[in-house]
Structure formats: C-alpha cells, structure tokens
C-alpha cells in the first residue's frame, strides 16, 4: 500500500447493469406482459412478443465462500447463459430461457449447492439479517447462526407458495439499532440496563458527539476529581437503546447475563391495501441461546400457526391482527399481554383504544 | 503463528453444520482448508457462542481518496486467532437490481480469493456486495484491483449510501419506471457524495417500480422513489372472465373487490369496472389478477421522504413529498436531481449532527420543510389536517421562519404592556 502510486479515488460508480442482464431481460426490457407461477420457487415471465423467461429461486445462506459463489456461477453458465440475479432477501434467482432446463437445474442446485427452491408467493422467504457475532462490533447476539437455526425449522413454509395466507417476511437484528429492519415477524435483541461506562476508554471518543446522540438527553459530561472529563448516564432517563454504544465503544450496553430477545410482528413495506405498517411488540423475554435458539423458533411457530389458522387469504400478518384484534392475538398464541406491551413513547397515545368498542 | 498449528475446535458452531437449510458454517469450514483465517473466524464465533459475547472492535480505515466503504474490524482475540487480528469488510457497489453475469461474479471471486479471506455476502442489509476478511495491507491491494476492474466502493457513515432497487423493467410487468437506470444514474451523478461523507448523517435512496415495494424503500430509505401511473388501470375483460370462471365470483369478491382499500371496483357477472378516480394505485387487485389487470400507460413516480428505522425518535416512514412525477426524459431527470439537491441543501444547512432527514422534518415540521425546499403543500401529503387550533397564520402575523434567527428575539410580557401605556 505504501505510497508507490497514490492514485486517489477512481469514482467508477455503479457497474453497468446492461452488461449484467440476461439476454432475454435485455431484449424485453420494459416489454413484459405478465407472469405466472409454475410451482413453488419457479416463475415464468412472458414478454409482449411471447418470449418466456423462467426464474428458479433458491435460498442462499447469504454468507458464502468464493468456492460456493463459483459453483453458483457454474450452474448459471450451464443453464442460464451465464446470468443470474440475487433478491433483496439473499435468494439466488437462476434465469432460464428453456423450460426443459428447469428440472435438471433444480436437481443440480439441490445436489451441488444444497440450496432449497422456494421463497415465492405466500411463503416464508429467506430471513433478512445483520452481521452479528460473525462480523459486527456492536451485536448482542448472532445473526447468520440464529437465522440458519430458524430456517431449518421453516423449510416447509419456504418450499411452499400456498401454505400461508400471504407472504411472511422475517428479519433478525442483533442490537436495538435494528439493521434487520421491519418484518411481518422480526426477532430483535433487547438490552436491559443503561450502558456501563468503561472509564479507561472514554478518551478515545468524541464526548460531545456521545452526549448529542442520546435521544433522551441522559448522557452528560462529568469532571472527575483529577480534572479529566468523562461521561455519566442518568439512569432514570436512559431507555437502553444503545445509540451511544455505536458512537463510542466505551458505552457498553450489552450484557451477556441480561440481554434477551423480543419478537415484533406486523411490519409491511408495500403500500398495498391499507398501506405500509410498523411492527409491534408481541413477545419479550426470550433467552439468547446459541447455537439453536429453540425458544425463538418455538415462539415463531406459535405465531405462524395462529396466523395460518385464522387469517384470510391475502391478509398479511399486521392486517390479520388489526382485524382480529391484539386481544385475540394473545388469546390464540397464549403469549401474555403485559404492561410492557403498552407504548410509552411520544407516539403512545395514538396506540390506545379510545373507543367503546369491545370484544369478549 | 506457532509451528504446530493447534486444531481449532468449534463444537457449538458445529451444531449448525447439518439441517436442511444451507449452512454458512459448513461452507466456511470447508473453505478454511484454503484460508486458515476462516477457521480462526469460526473459532472466534464459537467463543462468542460459548460466552454470549462479541469479540470485534470497530474502527475506521479509508482507501486513498475515499471517506467510507471499508468497515474495519479488529479481533479482541488476536492472540489466539492472529490471522483475524485485522479482518475488514469492503463494501462494493453492485449492479443495479443485483443482476450479474457470471463473468463479473467470478471476477469478484478471483479478486477476493487473491487479496482477502474469500468470504462474500450477497448482499448486506445496505444492498452492497460485502467482501469479508482483509487486513490493513490487503484492503488497499484489493481496492486497487477492484478499481482496475471497474468496481467501486460503497457508502458508509454520513454519506449518500449505496442505492438499491427492485428488478424493475428488466423482468417485471408491473414496473412503472426504469428502476435500474435511475439507480445507476443517481449513483454515478452523486458518486462524490457517496464516497466522501459531507451530510449531517446518512442518506439512502431505494427504488421500487410499483407500490409493492420489492426494493423495500418505505421503511429502509430516506427517499423512496416508487413507480405509479396517472391514467386508468388497463383491464383485459377476456382475462377477467377467464379468472372469474377459474376461481369463482366469490373468490373475486372476497379477495379482490372487498380488499380494495377505496372500494372502487365492482364485479358485474364476469366483468369488472374500476372507478379509476378513486383508485390509490395500491397494486392489490393487479397482484391477484396479474394477467387481467395492468398499470396504466401514463407512468411515473411517487417520491417520499424521511423513512428510517427506530433510533432515535422512533420508526418513521417517508412522507409523500411528490405525488407524481414522470421519469422518462432528460428534463424529467433534471427535475429529480434539482429536487434532491434542494433537499440536501436545506437539510445540510439546518440539520443537527447525526440527524436523518426524517428526524429533521419531525423537528422543524413538514410545513417549514416544504417552505425550505420550495414545494407547495398538497393535501396528498397528509392523512388529515391538523386537530390543534394553535396556528401562526403568516398572512395575519409575521411568519416565524421569515429569516435569520434573531439574537434578541421580541418578547411579550406585562412590563412591555405597561411601558407602552406610559
């Protein structure tokens, strides 16, 4: 690296997508007429001119060695004219011009890669997740591992496109920053006390930035007896979000003894029907138990079972609960409704039942 | 490293080797025969499983001329696992819509096997290609070879972030504009803002061809750009009849007619009629009857602003800022760029450190924000008008955002009243 040739930024920008398109995508760009489901994980898109492009969707573990990525390429070279695509949920999409190649391709994907075919239609698709203990500096739990463990129990839901009332998107996050984002079901880590400040480390952080980032103004500078400025946290104000931990590693928010997992449900990004929605707290206090996190998968299945049994077709999880009420949700799943489910944020009042409508 | 390599035991991670879902642990374990650092990575992961504790420290490492794109990680267990003492991630901008030729993917694999640990993630939550496992030297070598091969680093920190979009017109009949082109054009036009952080905090675009939002823009981006249309839904009554025959009228009534949020569809025997004036372009009916119904032909985009996840003020979704804008001609694109730049200027000038644009709007108010970026209010921007009666009408009393903040703002109190009387 030394300064042999300091070339500075190249600012190449984004690669040219046109060079990466499957020939049928390039030919029929903007000229698609309709699509049909052939079977779970397999779609056909039909162009105005009658051209057909077949897509086989396979679930990937997202984290892969270059050897595995090369094996994916080998299959795409053999059947897909050297072109493929990834979805936003880390599924691989093999693109085929010939229908007769679907069978042999699926066989090869299963045998060589061990990837299942599915994730289309009303399925549980691949889980969006964060880095976790594999590569993040802030996590209280793992992601790749917990997702692998949970997906092991959701194969039927991944490989079918009609087993559920509507699609179910799951995400997993390893701290309360929630990089995993919204989902029909989201599994998130929960902290349970204010950050513990490691005094020796405060010097490496920009203190005003740490003070400023606190959403509830709980952090303030403190002059020590020796004249050195450090920080202190007003415990009563702190809501254990960990924003300061991202800013300054000294603000240790995690605690292996007390961190737990919570499950949130009802998030939806599409503007379909009643529009997008945020997920809400369903279950809290689940233990963070590597390497299989069985308490989490048990809870997820309880939710999915109740959803499958009582939701209408095309009703996403949030829409389902909105219709049947949260009261019913807790009855059906057996999870307790507690005072911690009641919002106490600035938006809290918008979540109360301010009517005389009541169910029994 | 010591002469005798100690075999790394990973009993807890090994519990993830089997099972029907593809195992990253199995893949990495096999790969570790070529790259010893990957075995050490699994060793550290196993230690995390044992202790329920994380062993990575994060810091900053920048390639010459770039202010982001490398996520630097240092292991706290470097004594035990020396080959992952430095184990960084390089974010690489993917082709729009995550389409690849095997040639370009193989090129990435070769570069990353040569310079890094050979672990890739397709893709990270930001939408970037993530290359895991380079040290303080190989990061620069890898970046250099990436650049020479036409790749570029993704965004991080208080910068424009790597853009992401759905498959769009490349393979979807529902796409109402060219998401891949727009993603690429925005990336390339603002590549400097992407590489060299100059914003109060991060700024993300995500682009979806229709309201189904497969680009996950609504809650994951500051500026969702979502395809829509202005004219009527195209109806193929022959296909409608075929659908009704196949599924039955009850199915259509339960799953299409009654699920329309504005109840603007009626079923008359085997024909449907749509009151397009009441249609909100939500896509539901088209999703269910995708052979019979299609978006109209006068297409464009709806632009929202201010979405992000929960830190610090709670979840925010984008506010509908531009209900409709065509996005076809160069002039259309110029209007989009002009809007983006006006937003960046007002937000950049007035936001606090670490304040995302949605948080900024929440603090100053949408009305003030519209004034600041020069957009007229539109009833489509709100679910309902205000319920609070405490309003400062600028037509009657001077506006509070009329100019520079005053050092000595005017006050009203009893003393002033008495002085004026005297």
């Amino acid at each position: 690296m030394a300064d042999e040739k300091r070339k500075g930024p190249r600012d190449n920008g984004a690669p040219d997508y046109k060079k990466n398109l499957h020939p049928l995508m390039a030919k029929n760009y903007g000229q698609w007429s309709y699509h049909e489901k052939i079977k779970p994980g397999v779609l056909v898109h039909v162009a105005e001119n009658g051209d057909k492009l077949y897509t086989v969707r396979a679930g990937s573990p997202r984290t892969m060695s270059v050897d595995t990525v090369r094996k994916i390429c080998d299959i795409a070279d053999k059947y897909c004219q050297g072109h493929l695509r990834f979805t936003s949920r880390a599924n691989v999409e093999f693109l085929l011009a010939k229908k007769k190649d679907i069978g042999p391709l699926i066989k090869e994907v299963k045998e060589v890669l061990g990837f299942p075919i599915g994730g289309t239609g009303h399925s549980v698709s691949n889980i969006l997740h964060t880095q976790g203990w594999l590569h993040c500096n802030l996590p209280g739990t793992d992601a790749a591992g917990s997702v692998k463990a949970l997906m092991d129990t959701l194969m039927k839901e991944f490989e079918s496109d009609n087993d559920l009332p509507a699609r179910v998107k799951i995400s997993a996050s390893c701290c309360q920053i929630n990089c995993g984002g919204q989902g029909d079901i989201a599994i998130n880590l929960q902290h349970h006390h204010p950050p513990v400040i490691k005094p020796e480390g405060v010097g490496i952080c920009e203190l005003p930035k740490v003070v400023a980032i606190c959403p509830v103004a709980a952090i303030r500078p403190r002059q020590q007896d020796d004249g050195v400025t450090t920080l202190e946290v007003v415990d009563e104000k702190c809501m254990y979000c960990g924003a300061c931990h991202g800013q300054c590693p000294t603000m240790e928010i995690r605690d292996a003894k007390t961190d737990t997992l919570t499950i949130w449900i009802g998030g939806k990004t599409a503007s379909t029907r009643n529009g997008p929605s945020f997920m809400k707290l369903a279950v809290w206090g689940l233990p963070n138990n590597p390497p299989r996190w069985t308490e989490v998968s048990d809870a997820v299945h309880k939710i999915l079972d109740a959803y499958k049994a009582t939701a209408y077709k095309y009703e996403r999880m949030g829409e389902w609960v909105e219709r049947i009420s949260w009261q019913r949700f807790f009855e059906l799943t057996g999870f307790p409704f507690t005072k911690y489910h009641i919002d106490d944020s600035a938006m809290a009042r918008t979540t109360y039942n301010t009517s005389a409508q009541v169910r029994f | 490293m010591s002469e005798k390599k100690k075999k790394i035991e990973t009993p807890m991670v090994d519990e993830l080797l089997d099972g029907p879902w593809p195992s990253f642990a199995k893949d990495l374990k096999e790969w570790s025969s070529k790259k010893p650092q990957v075995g050490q990575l699994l060793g550290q992961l196993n230690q995390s499983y044992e202790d329920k504790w994380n062993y990575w420290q994060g810091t900053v490492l920048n390639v010459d001329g770039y202010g982001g794109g490398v996520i630097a990680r240092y292991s706290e267990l470097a004594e035990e696992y020396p080959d992952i003492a430095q184990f960084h991630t390089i974010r690489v901008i993917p082709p729009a819509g995550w389409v690849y030729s095997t040639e370009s993917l193989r090129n990435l694999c070769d570069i990353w096997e040569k310079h890094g640990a050979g672990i890739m993630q397709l893709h990270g939550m930001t939408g970037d290609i993530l290359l895991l496992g380079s040290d303080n030297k190989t990061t620069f070598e890898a970046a250099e070879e990436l650049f020479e091969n036409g790749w570029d680093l993704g965004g991080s920190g208080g910068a424009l972030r790597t853009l992401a979009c759905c498959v769009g017109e490349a393979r979807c009949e529902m796409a109402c504009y060219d998401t891949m082109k727009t993603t690429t054009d925005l990336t390339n036009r603002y590549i400097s803002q992407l590489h060299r952080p100059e914003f109060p905090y991060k700024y993300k675009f995500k682009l979806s061809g229709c309201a189904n939002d497969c680009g996950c823009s609504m809650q994951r981006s500051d500026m969702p750009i979502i395809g829509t249309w202005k004219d009527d839904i195209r109806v193929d009554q022959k296909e409608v009849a075929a659908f009704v025959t196949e599924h039955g009228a009850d199915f259509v009534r339960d799953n299409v007619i009654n699920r329309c949020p504005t109840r603007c569809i009626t079923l008359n025997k085997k024909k449907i009629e749509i009151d397009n004036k009441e249609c909100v372009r939500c896509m539901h009916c088209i999703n269910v009857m995708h052979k019979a119904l299609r978006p109209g032909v006068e297409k464009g985009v709806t632009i929202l602003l201010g979405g992000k996840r929960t830190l610090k003020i709670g979840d925010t979704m984008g506010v509908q800022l531009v209900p409709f804008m065509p996005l076809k001609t160069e002039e259309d694109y110029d209007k989009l760029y002009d809007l983006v730049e006006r937003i960046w200027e007002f937000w950049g000038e007035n936001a606090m450190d670490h304040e995302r644009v949605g948080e900024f709007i929440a603090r100053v108010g949408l009305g003030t924000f519209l004034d600041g970026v020069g957009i007229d209010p539109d009833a489509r921007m709100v679910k309902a008008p205000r319920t609070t009666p405490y309003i400062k009408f600028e037509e009657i009393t001077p506006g509070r955002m009329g100019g520079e903040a005053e050092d000595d703002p005017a006050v009203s109190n009893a003393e002033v009243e008495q002085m004026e009387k005297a």
Side-chain angles (χ1 to χ4, degrees):
Chain A
M1 81 195 191
D3 20 3
E4 333 147 358
K5 279 180 237 152
R6 296 179 76 94
K7 288 183 181 163
R10 242 52 55 80
D11 286 358
N12 290 329
D16 186 354
Y17 62 94
K18 287 179 193 154
K19 290 185 184 154
N20 288 284
L21 290 172
H22 185 280
L24 282 176
M25 281 179 159
K27 185 183 166 201
N28 296 295
Y29 201 93
Q31 305 295 324
W32 296 99
S33 174
Y34 67 94
H35 75 277
E36 282 180 321
K37 295 170 192 165
I38 293 181
K39 57 179 178 176
V42 184
L43 306 171
V44 58
H45 286 82
V46 183
E48 306 280 8
N49 64 11
D51 279 359
K52 288 180 177 173
L53 177 65
Y54 299 91
T55 298
V56 175
R57 187 178 287 178
S60 93
R62 189 178 85 135
T63 304
M64 294 177 277
S65 69
V66 295
D67 250 10
T68 298
V69 177
R70 286 181 183 129
K71 284 180 199 159
I72 293 173
C73 290
D74 290 342
I75 295 174
D77 281 338
K78 192 166 166 190
Y79 297 103
C80 309
Q81 294 162 271
H83 290 275
L84 68 154
R85 177 180 180 262
F86 288 84
T87 71
S88 64
R89 307 190 80 78
N91 296 308
V92 193
E93 290 189 335
F94 293 96
L95 308 164
L96 304 101
K98 294 181 193 146
K99 194 174 184 184
K100 70 172 177 57
D101 285 342
I102 294 173
L105 174 127
I106 289 178
K107 191 161 174 272
E108 214 157 305
V109 168
K110 287 188 170 172
E111 281 174 10
V112 177
L113 297 169
F115 291 2
I117 308 298
T120 57
H122 295 178
S123 64
V124 172
S125 192
N126 208 342
I127 300 175
L128 282 185
H129 66 91
T130 49
Q131 287 291 26
W133 289 328
L134 192 70
H135 206 245
C136 184
N137 56 330
L138 305 171
T141 186
D142 195 31
S146 59
V147 162
K148 152 72 179 153
L150 182 54
M151 282 311 290
D152 274 343
T153 74
L154 290 167
M155 292 302 287
K156 188 166 77 97
E157 288 80 0
F158 180 84
E159 291 180 323
S160 156
D161 63 1
N162 211 11
D163 183 45
L164 291 152
R167 67 190 72 236
V168 174
K169 297 182 176 183
I170 304 183
S171 71
S173 297
C174 312
C175 77
Q176 294 200 233
I177 295 169
N178 285 163
C179 301
Q182 299 276 335
D184 291 280
I185 302 176
I187 301 134
N188 294 348
L189 189 94
Q190 191 82 29
H191 306 302
H192 292 286
H193 56 62
V196 176
I197 304 175
K198 294 182 253 172
E200 72 279 6
V202 173
I204 63 167
C205 300
E206 282 186 69
L207 301 194
K209 284 201 155 195
V210 187
V211 170
I213 204 165
C214 179
V216 291
I219 304 172
R220 59 194 185 197
R222 185 172 69 89
Q223 195 104 42
Q224 289 177 175
D225 290 343
D226 59 6
V228 174
T229 305
T230 175
L231 296 171
E232 64 184 11
V233 179
V234 182
D235 289 358
E236 198 182 27
K237 282 189 185 176
C238 177
M239 58 180 185
Y240 323 152
C241 72
C244 54
H245 188 218
Q247 184 69 37
C248 174
T250 300
M251 310 296 286
E252 184 55 74
I253 189 74
R254 297 163 299 187
D255 187 333
K257 288 197 183 72
T258 58
D259 284 346
T260 58
L261 293 161
T262 47
I263 296 183
W264 305 70
I265 68 164
K268 169 172 173 279
T269 187
S271 287
T272 44
R273 300 175 298 278
N274 295 339
S277 59
F278 292 128
M279 58 205 193
K280 285 111 189 157
L281 179 64
V283 190
W284 57 268
L286 297 172
N288 179 22
N289 269 345
R292 304 261 2 152
W293 289 271
T294 47
E295 296 85 354
V296 171
S297 45
D298 288 351
V300 167
H301 280 276
K302 257 190 209 173
I303 295 168
L304 283 175
D305 288 347
Y307 173 60
K308 278 187 213 176
T310 54
Y312 294 153
K313 202 170 167 67
Y314 294 108
E315 197 170 48
R316 288 279 291 273
M317 189 159 287
E319 298 170 305
W320 163 64
V321 180
E322 209 172 288
R323 177 176 59 80
I324 65 163
S325 80
W326 282 91
Q327 169 200 353
R328 286 280 182 269
F329 170 82
F330 288 106
E331 280 170 19
L332 285 167
T333 54
F335 297 120
F337 177 76
T338 66
K339 70 176 179 181
Y340 304 108
H341 287 90
I342 301 173
D343 197 353
D344 56 5
S345 76
M347 291 185 270
R349 275 187 302 166
T350 65
T351 66
Y352 302 159
N353 180 3
T354 52
S355 79
Q357 294 180 0
V358 59
R359 278 180 168 87
F360 297 100
Chain B
M1 257 186 100
S2 61
E3 290 297 307
K4 276 184 204 160
K5 277 188 188 164
K6 210 172 64 190
K7 192 173 180 302
I8 299 167
E9 302 287 347
T10 56
M12 287 186 87
V13 172
D14 289 354
E15 287 190 44
L16 296 170
L17 295 177
D18 303 322
W21 188 258
S23 168
F24 74 99
K26 186 166 168 240
D27 186 1
L28 297 192
K29 198 154 196 174
E30 283 167 12
W31 180 240
S32 69
S33 63
K34 276 196 192 162
K35 295 276 183 183
Q37 63 266 50
V38 176
Q40 299 184 18
L41 176 73
L42 291 174
Q44 176 167 321
L45 183 64
N46 194 75
Q47 195 63 51
S48 285
Y49 282 15
E50 303 265 357
D51 304 341
K52 297 190 190 184
W53 194 249
N54 184 54
Y55 293 106
W56 294 111
Q57 285 290 345
T59 182
V60 177
L61 183 74
N62 280 328
V63 176
D64 234 14
Y66 289 76
V70 179
I71 311 299
R73 295 281 179 261
Y74 294 86
S75 171
E76 290 173 357
L77 304 179
E79 267 184 41
E80 200 172 340
Y81 303 119
D83 296 342
I84 56 167
Q86 303 153 358
F87 200 80
H88 312 319
T89 287
I90 301 181
R91 287 182 176 170
V92 177
I93 303 176
W98 302 297
V99 286
Y100 292 95
S101 68
T102 51
E103 193 190 342
S104 42
L105 264 185
R106 286 183 198 279
N107 177 245
L108 275 178
C109 290
D110 293 347
I111 294 171
W112 201 235
E113 180 170 7
K114 187 169 155 198
H115 298 289
I119 303 173
M120 294 169 76
Q121 289 175 327
L122 298 163
H123 297 83
M125 287 301 297
T126 57
D128 288 286
I129 301 161
L130 302 183
L131 306 177
L132 274 69
S134 55
D135 63 24
N136 288 357
K137 184 162 171 285
T138 55
T139 299
F140 292 85
E141 295 164 357
E144 191 55 42
E145 197 163 342
L146 286 166
F147 297 150
E148 279 169 15
N149 283 272
W151 301 96
D152 205 350
L153 303 190
S156 63
L160 173 64
R161 297 302 192 85
T162 303
L163 286 80
C165 69
C166 67
V167 72
E169 294 188 338
R171 199 202 49 197
C172 185
E173 71 276 14
M174 300 182 186
C176 293
Y177 76 106
D178 191 344
T179 54
M180 286 190 185
K181 173 186 153 56
T182 312
T183 296
T184 306
D185 288 359
L186 281 167
T187 305
N188 295 347
R189 181 181 177 90
Y190 298 119
I191 196 69
S192 185
Q193 284 86 345
L194 195 149
H195 286 149
R196 289 166 285 279
E198 57 178 55
F199 295 148
Y201 200 28
K202 63 183 84 166
Y203 196 94
K204 297 182 181 181
F205 287 98
K206 285 191 173 27
L207 293 81
S208 290
C210 75
N212 280 321
D213 197 15
C214 298
C216 304
S217 67
M218 285 298 297
Q219 295 143 335
R220 303 193 59 88
S221 74
D222 298 274
M223 194 162 185
I225 303 179
I226 296 182
T228 192
W229 66 96
K230 229 177 169 174
D231 54 344
D232 295 352
I233 291 182
R234 284 177 284 168
V235 184
D236 182 339
Q237 293 291 5
K238 243 172 74 185
E239 289 292 343
V240 172
F243 189 90
V244 178
T245 306
E246 190 188 341
H247 294 88
D250 281 352
F251 180 94
V252 177
R253 227 169 258 121
D254 289 348
N255 295 299
V256 183
I257 311 297
N258 293 339
R259 291 226 171 274
C260 170
T262 57
R263 298 287 187 274
C264 71
I265 316 176
T266 44
L267 179 68
N268 190 354
K269 287 183 186 145
K270 291 194 173 176
K271 276 180 97 165
I272 63 165
E273 270 168 48
I274 301 174
D275 180 0
N276 279 280
K277 214 155 171 41
E278 298 312 314
C279 169
V280 288
R281 280 72 179 164
C282 90
M283 293 301 293
H284 175 77
C285 60
I286 299 178
N287 289 342
V288 181
M289 303 175 70
H290 44 76
K291 252 175 123 172
L293 306 178
R294 301 175 72 183
V297 291
E298 193 187 346
K299 294 172 177 175
V301 297
T302 299
I303 300 174
L304 297 96
L305 193 70
K308 70 177 287 291
R309 184 53 179 133
T310 191
L311 270 183
K312 298 160 273 198
I313 62 165
D315 297 292
T316 55
M317 262 187 259
V319 171
Q320 197 175 111
L321 194 68
V322 179
F324 184 82
M325 178 189 255
L327 210 48
K328 278 197 189 103
T329 65
E330 253 176 66
E331 292 74 43
D332 296 339
Y333 276 91
D334 284 344
K335 279 184 195 157
L336 172 66
Y337 301 145
D338 177 58
L339 173 70
V340 168
E341 285 159 28
R342 275 186 287 151
I343 291 167
W344 285 352
E345 192 179 342
F346 186 62
W347 170 59
E349 284 290 313
N350 296 290
M352 298 194 291
D353 182 48
H354 257 79
E355 192 172 45
R356 295 275 288 270
V357 71
E359 295 166 331
F360 174 63
I361 293 172
R363 178 166 62 85
V364 304
L366 180 60
T368 303
F369 182 81
L370 294 176
D371 277 351
V373 295
I375 293 180
D376 289 333
D378 184 309
R380 288 171 285 196
M381 293 170 179
V382 296
K383 287 189 179 119
R386 66 160 74 221
T387 57
T388 55
Y390 312 116
I391 312 168
K392 295 183 173 180
F393 292 100
E394 289 171 14
E395 288 78 0
I396 298 167
T397 42
R400 65 194 165 106
M401 286 299 292
E404 294 290 306
E406 289 172 40
D407 288 338
D408 191 14
V411 291
S412 305
N413 61 30
E415 269 174 54
V416 176
E417 294 265 306
Q418 278 167 6
M419 273 165 62
E420 277 173 0
K421 267 187 195 165

